[in-house]
């Protein structure tokens, strides 16, 4: 084009005041891009060829001396080039440096701006005259400036590219060659051509590199953003190409361009409906190139659309509604619950934790689990939507812990899977979660569940585990559940008694009339309404003995006091004897009551007001108001952690074990907790004493190394197997097998009958792969050291031989244990176990292959069938008494299978069923309330453990205790006192005159004054008002009203003190030392096994009086 033509075009455009074309020259712009691309490629190939030859020749001419080579080497060595490339890359292109991050962000933003400018100019003609120097079009200058930056960025990438030939064929390089040369040519031709600026949309795919600068490539939101930008970039590119060819026309046809106004938006619409296979047909291509492109785009776009759509759907479907963050809108306390979160696992926990009786002290619950809640759990969460929130995450991920703001939570509760086949693996997962929580927040209060009692040894490995300052607590399911079962063997109904006392339930009287319709359910519900509370009792009790204070609380305050605890080293005292305990000024009282308001009377008790006839209320009286104000002025919060305790409330009362902060200072509270912890750990401090010397010194019983359980020399499995007794004496012959079997049975009945009478039968199911962690926890309370040796009942284990052989490793040192190989489903084995003469039959659940059952109702098939076998084996004669049993169930709904005469409603709760009210069944879900009790009532766990275990249970049990070597005699194992709950009959000859026919309140006071027996309630027949009652159907009646008449068929639950061996005095210890010196210090393990057995038998024959109760000897045998 000559200068005259340019002048004519300018004149025409100026006269018409328009920018219409003076002739199309778009082919020059395309030629500039193609020429620059291929010319550059040719130059690149030539440079590579000559550089390689030059380097080869320089290598051949190198001198032999390596010191001369470093001076005569060529300037452009590969090492120097590589160093230069790395320098350019690190300074300008690497997202790991600040300058590189800025370059990457600017490059992406400038590409977005370039596409935006293209869309803004797309409504104008594709090609038009433009005086670059005199125009007022600011978009032209902006486009020139952007292309200058793109050229600079291209050169940087070219220099830093390790393989320039490969770089030349990359998409980014092609985009630069299609956009930068036409912009430079526009300055020469003074024409503006939109051309292929739309190709800048392909650079949107660089979004991944930008996000790498912020380390955000792993989240699902970022992945979705990258996916959408890829889709948009291809979409905009296709729309720009269609817009270009439709407005330019086919090169081989004149005037083939569209005459209508085909805008860029029309091309966007066309590509979208084509890619989505909708195809409305309102817009379509008319040029040959456009139609050819659409044929290819249909295939590619359809594949892309079909590929990306499932990703988008999966993202929105997988986007969890529980992936948010907890916002603390108010100051209400909350706890974080982690671990195994299922409907069955948290149903009982939530019902007790969020019970209305807890009032304003109720905390909010935040569930954190790595899966979405099941439909049943979702419905449960909606039921408590004001107090419960669910978050999807893991306790092992600190980011998830940060989402629930765990550092501000009041406690962290870890639940375990109680149906797990592998208890050790489940406990390991729970402990790992505990370590993660403590690593995230060392001061977090931790309350965790464990399945295996041996796992408690790992608590010391948890960082910052502190039961004193942080009130950390562990709940061992096997210890508590099997401890309840064991105590139920000695005291039927004990499991129901304790579970109802640690569970929060409401009693709604309704229209019941106890003395008119004799409805046992009303009486039972009345007892279920009672729970354990603690409060700092009034100073007016100072100097009293426990029986005196308990009598005042019961007669004048209508409260049942069961234990007290002073702020000294005396520890927790449950129904202590008058000469053993005196109440101090600052004393914590444990009460059984129906509401915490009633317990306030013990805190504000005033003897002066009571003598004047003023009723004790829920607030301080006038005569004590000034003293209370003085105490309140010195009140400080309990410094357990930097967070507030859940037990502080306006009333100054604490629920079950929570210490009243308004009646004691923080120092006193910490002192009490420290003393209790040291007192419990003191049982593990011991001295070595020879067993034979101990017996010679007057200590007739033999204990394990902890002093908490009776010990026996190791016995072989064959010696305790009942089948072994028979096969040792007789040899079977094939021809007379039946006759010999009859003789054997007769011989067994005559000689071994005395052992299997009033015994305990434990039926278990499993094989050598079934976990047996619960059996040891079941046997230990039955062999507790507070039980006299002669009163120990024989325990008969009935199970398959493989299971018994595996369990015998832990049970071989317990005395009076017998085994019988077989199954409880076999009636002949039940007859051989003499269940008709057993005091209790325990039927355990099958822990093997629990996870294999898809139907939860089938988990209890073995225990249910075994329970149905018991009446058939015992017989139904008039003289035969029903077999008392307690069955362990997995599913609460299966309880109705245990009673053929079931009158319970189908969907009734477990604690309201007949079998549970009687104490004949127990489930692990019933112990879920322990978690809420440990949170609200941490102090009560010491009381519960003492009543259930029957001994001082150390916090960390020794693993794989061999029970061999010298006896370890703890200081508080041979001295002090322990208590247990027993069941006595109203018709007991020694007590009938004090019980039968009297009101319950009179019986309570008389037994407390004369025998130091603290009554807890009744075990009453359901038809107690009839002359002939059904003995085997009873219910637990906790703390009945004082006017309740005691009938002949009633049993009373009482707490009785049991003394251990007398403390070894200094004279006795000297006698022990002298005896050991005379023996030459011969250790017991060097003596023969026969001498051990002989000495043990002698000791057993002489034990008895030294282990009786410190009251009337006849009272010691009242346990039924």
């Amino acid at each position: 084009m000559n200068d005259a033509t340019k002048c004519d075009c300018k004149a025409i455009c100026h006269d018409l005041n328009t920018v219409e074309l003076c002739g199309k020259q778009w082919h020059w712009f395309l030629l500039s891009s193609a020429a620059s691309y291929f010319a550059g490629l040719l130059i690149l190939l030539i440079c590579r060829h000559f550089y390689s030859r030059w380097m080869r020749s320089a290598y051949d001419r190198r001198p032999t001396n390596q010191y001369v080579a470093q001076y005569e080497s060529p300037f452009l060595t590969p090492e120097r080039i590589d160093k230069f490339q790395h320098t350019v890359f690190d300074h300008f292109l690497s997202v790991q440096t600040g300058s590189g991050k800025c370059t990457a962000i600017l490059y992406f933003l400038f590409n977005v701006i370039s596409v935006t400018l293209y869309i803004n100019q797309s409504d104008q003609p594709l090609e038009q005259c433009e005086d670059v120097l005199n125009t007022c079009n600011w978009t032209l200058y902006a486009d020139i400036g952007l292309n200058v930056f793109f050229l600079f960025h291209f050169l940087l990438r070219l220099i830093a590219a390790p393989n320039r030939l490969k770089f030349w064929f990359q998409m980014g390089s092609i985009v630069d060659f299609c956009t930068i040369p036409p912009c430079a040519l526009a300055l020469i031709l003074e024409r503006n051509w939109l051309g292929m600026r739309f190709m800048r949309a392909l650079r949107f795919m660089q979004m991944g590199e930008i996000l790498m600068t912020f380390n955000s490539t792993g989240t699902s939101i970022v992945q979705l953003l990258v996916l959408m930008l890829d889709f948009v970039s291809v979409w905009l590119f296709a729309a720009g190409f269609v817009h270009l060819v439709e407005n330019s026309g086919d090169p081989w046809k004149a005037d083939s361009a569209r005459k209508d106004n085909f805008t860029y938006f029309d091309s966007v619409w066309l590509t979208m409906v084509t890619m989505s296979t909708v195809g409305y047909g309102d817009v379509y291509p008319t040029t040959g190139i456009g139609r050819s492109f659409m044929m290819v785009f249909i295939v590619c776009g359809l594949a892309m659309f079909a590929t990306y759509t499932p990703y988008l759907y999966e993202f929105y479907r997988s986007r969890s509604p529980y992936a948010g963050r907890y916002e603390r809108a108010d100051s209400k306390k909350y706890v974080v619950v982690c671990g195994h979160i299922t409907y069955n696992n948290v149903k009982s926990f939530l019902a007790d934790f969020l019970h209305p009786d807890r009032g304003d002290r109720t905390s909010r619950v935040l569930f954190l689990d790595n899966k979405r809640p099941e439909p049943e759990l979702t419905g449960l969460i909606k039921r408590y939507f004001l107090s419960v929130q669910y978050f999807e995450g893991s306790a092992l991920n600190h980011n998830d812990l940060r989402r629930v703001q765990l550092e501000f939570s009041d406690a962290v509760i870890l639940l375990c899977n109680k149906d797990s086949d592998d208890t050790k693996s489940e406990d390991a997962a729970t402990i790992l979660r505990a370590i993660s929580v403590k690593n995230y927040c060392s001061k977090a209060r931790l309350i965790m569940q464990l399945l295996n009692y041996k796992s408690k040894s790992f608590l010391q490995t948890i960082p910052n585990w502190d039961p004193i300052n942080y009130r950390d607590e562990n709940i061992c399911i096997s210890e508590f559940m099997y401890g309840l079962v064991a105590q139920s063997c000695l005291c039927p109904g004990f499991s129901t008694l304790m579970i109802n006392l640690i569970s929060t339930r409401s009693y709604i009287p309704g229209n019941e009339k106890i003395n008119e319709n004799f409805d046992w359910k009303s009486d039972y519900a009345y007892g279920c309404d009672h729970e354990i509370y603690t409060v700092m009792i009034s100073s007016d009790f100072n100097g009293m003995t426990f029986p005196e204070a308990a009598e005042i609380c019961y007669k004048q305050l209508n409260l049942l006091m069961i234990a007290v605890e002073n702020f000294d080293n005396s520890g927790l005292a449950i129904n202590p004897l008058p000469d053993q305990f005196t109440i101090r000024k600052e004393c914590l009282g444990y009460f059984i009551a129906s509401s915490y308001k009633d317990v306030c009377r013990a805190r504000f008790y005033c003897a002066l007001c009571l003598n004047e006839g003023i009723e004790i209320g829920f607030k301080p009286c006038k005569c004590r108001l000034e003293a209370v104000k003085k105490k309140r002025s010195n009140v400080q919060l309990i410094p357990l952690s930097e967070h507030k305790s859940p037990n502080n409330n306006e009333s100054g009362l604490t629920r079950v074990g929570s210490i009243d902060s308004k009646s004691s200072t923080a120092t006193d509270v910490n002192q009490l907790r420290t003393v209790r912890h040291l007192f419990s750990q003191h049982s593990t401090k011991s001295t070595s004493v020879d067993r034979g010397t101990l017996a010679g010194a007057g200590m007739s019983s033999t204990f394990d190394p902890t002093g908490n359980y009776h010990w026996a020399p190791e016995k072989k499995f064959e010696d305790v197997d009942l089948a072994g007794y028979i096969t040792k004496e007789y040899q079977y012959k094939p021809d007379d097998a039946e006759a010999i079997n009859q003789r054997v049975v007769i011989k067994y009945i005559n000689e071994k009958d005395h052992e299997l009478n009033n015994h305990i039968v434990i039926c278990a199911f499993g094989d050598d792969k079934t976990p047996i962690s619960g059996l040891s926890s079941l046997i230990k309370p039955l062999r507790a050291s507070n039980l006299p040796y002669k009163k120990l009942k024989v325990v008969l284990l009935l199970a398959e031989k493989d299971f018994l052989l595996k369990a015998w490793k832990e049970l071989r040192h317990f005395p009076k244990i017998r085994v019988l190989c077989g199954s409880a489903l076999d009636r002949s084995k039940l007859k051989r176990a003499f269940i008709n003469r057993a005091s209790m039959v325990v039927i355990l659940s099958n822990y093997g292959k629990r996870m294999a059952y898809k139907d939860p109702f089938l988990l209890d098939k073995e225990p249910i069938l075994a329970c149905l076998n018991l009446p058939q084996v015992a017989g139904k004669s008039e003289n035969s008494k029903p077999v008392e049993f307690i069955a362990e169930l997995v599913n609460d709904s299966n309880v109705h299978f245990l009673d053929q005469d079931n009158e319970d409603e189908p969907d009734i709760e477990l604690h309201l069923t007949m079998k549970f009210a009687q104490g004949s069944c127990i489930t692990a879900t019933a112990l879920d309330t322990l978690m809420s009790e440990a949170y609200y009532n941490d102090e009560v766990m010491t009381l519960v453990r003492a009543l259930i275990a029957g001994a001082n249970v150390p916090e960390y049990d020794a693993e794989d205790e061999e029970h061999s070597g010298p006896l370890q005699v703890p200081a508080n194992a041979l001295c002090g006192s322990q208590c247990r709950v027993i069941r006595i009959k109203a018709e007991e000859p020694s007590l009938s005159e004090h019980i039968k026919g009297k009101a319950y309140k009179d019986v309570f006071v008389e037994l407390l004054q004369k025998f130091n027996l603290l009554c807890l309630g009744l075990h009453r027949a359901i038809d107690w008002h009839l002359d002939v009652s059904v003995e085997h159907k009873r219910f637990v009646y906790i703390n009945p009203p004082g006017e309740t008449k005691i009938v002949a068929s009633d049993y009373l639950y009482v707490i009785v003190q049991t003394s251990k061996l007398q403390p070894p005095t200094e004279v006795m210890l000297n006698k022990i030392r002298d005896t050991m010196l005379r023996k030459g210090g011969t250790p017991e393990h060097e003596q023969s096994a026969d001498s051990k057995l002989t000495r043990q038998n002698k000791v057993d024959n002489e034990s008895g009086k030294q282990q009786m109760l410190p009251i009337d000897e006849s009272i010691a045998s009242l346990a039924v």
Side-chain angles (χ1 to χ4, degrees), residues 1026-1096:
L1026 301 178
D1027 295 335
V1028 181
S1029 61
V1030 182
E1031 287 287 332
H1032 67 281
K1033 288 190 175 182
R1034 296 180 172 274
F1035 68 96
V1036 177
Y1037 196 1
I1038 302 176
N1039 193 23
E1043 296 76 14
T1044 303
K1045 296 294 182 182
I1046 307 298
V1047 297
S1049 61
D1050 285 340
Y1051 288 87
L1052 276 78
Y1053 289 113
V1054 297
I1055 298 180
V1056 61
Q1057 277 289 341
T1058 58
S1059 289
K1060 289 189 175 183
L1061 298 176
Q1062 295 298 323
T1065 62
E1066 187 66 27
V1067 176
M1068 187 180 298
L1069 292 177
N1070 292 332
K1071 183 178 179 181
I1072 292 174
R1073 298 189 189 98
D1074 295 341
T1075 306
M1076 294 181 65
L1077 291 175
R1078 287 195 301 270
K1079 289 184 179 181
T1082 304
E1084 186 189 5
H1085 60 80
E1086 296 181 3
Q1087 303 175 13
S1088 62
D1090 296 337
S1091 62
K1092 289 185 181 181
L1093 293 175
T1094 303
R1095 184 175 68 251
Q1096 179 64 32

Side-chain angles (χ1 to χ4, degrees), residues 804-823:
L804 291 175
L805 287 173
K806 182 179 179 180
W808 188 246
K809 297 178 181 179
E810 296 184 359
L811 308 179
R812 63 185 184 273
H813 286 291
F814 290 110
K816 297 185 179 182
I817 303 292
R818 301 291 182 266
V819 298
L820 178 60
C821 299
S823 174

Side-chain angles (χ1 to χ4, degrees), residues 8 15 122 211 254-255 305 330 450 549 688 708 903 949 1006-1007 1026 1103 1110:
D8 294 340
D15 294 339
S122 62
L211 297 176
D255 299 333
F305 195 87
D330 51 20
L450 294 175
S688 299
N708 291 326
E903 298 178 358
E1006 195 164 353
L1007 292 183
L1026 301 178
S1103 62

Side-chain angles (χ1 to χ4, degrees), residues 341-353:
I341 310 298
T342 60
Y343 173 77
N344 294 327
N345 215 27
V346 303
K347 177 179 64 174
S348 301
F349 166 75
L350 281 181
D352 189 83
F353 193 89

Side-chain angles (χ1 to χ4, degrees), residues 836-955:
N836 57 334
R837 299 189 319 202
S839 62
M840 180 64 70
V841 178
V842 179
I843 301 177
L844 302 180
S845 177
N846 187 359
Y847 278 80
K849 301 180 181 180
R850 281 190 174 185
M851 305 300 291
Y853 291 101
K854 295 183 179 180
D855 189 353
F857 293 94
L858 296 178
L859 294 173
D860 298 319
K861 60 180 186 299
E862 291 98 344
I864 292 173
L865 294 178
C867 292
L868 298 180
N869 258 342
L870 297 180
Q872 305 298 328
V873 176
K876 297 184 178 180
S877 61
E878 296 181 358
N879 297 328
S880 63
K881 72 171 186 177
V883 179
E884 290 197 58
F885 69 89
I886 178 169
E888 177 196 359
L889 299 180
V890 178
N891 196 327
D892 298 353
S893 304
N894 289 332
V895 66
H896 67 276
F897 290 109
L898 300 179
D899 192 0
Q900 296 301 309
D901 302 330
N902 182 30
E903 298 178 358
D904 297 328
E905 299 178 3
D907 298 331
I908 194 172
E909 296 183 22
L910 174 66
H911 75 280
L912 296 178
T913 58
M914 179 67 240
K915 284 300 179 182
F916 184 85
Q918 181 180 351
S920 295
C921 73
I922 185 173
T923 64
T925 56
L927 298 179
D928 289 337
T929 58
L930 279 173
M931 304 302 291
S932 58
E933 293 302 312
Y935 170 71
Y936 289 110
N937 325 302
D938 56 321
E939 303 295 335
V940 80
M941 300 308 298
T942 306
L943 172 65
V944 173
R945 284 191 172 97
L947 292 177
I948 291 178
N952 292 325
V953 180
E955 182 180 1

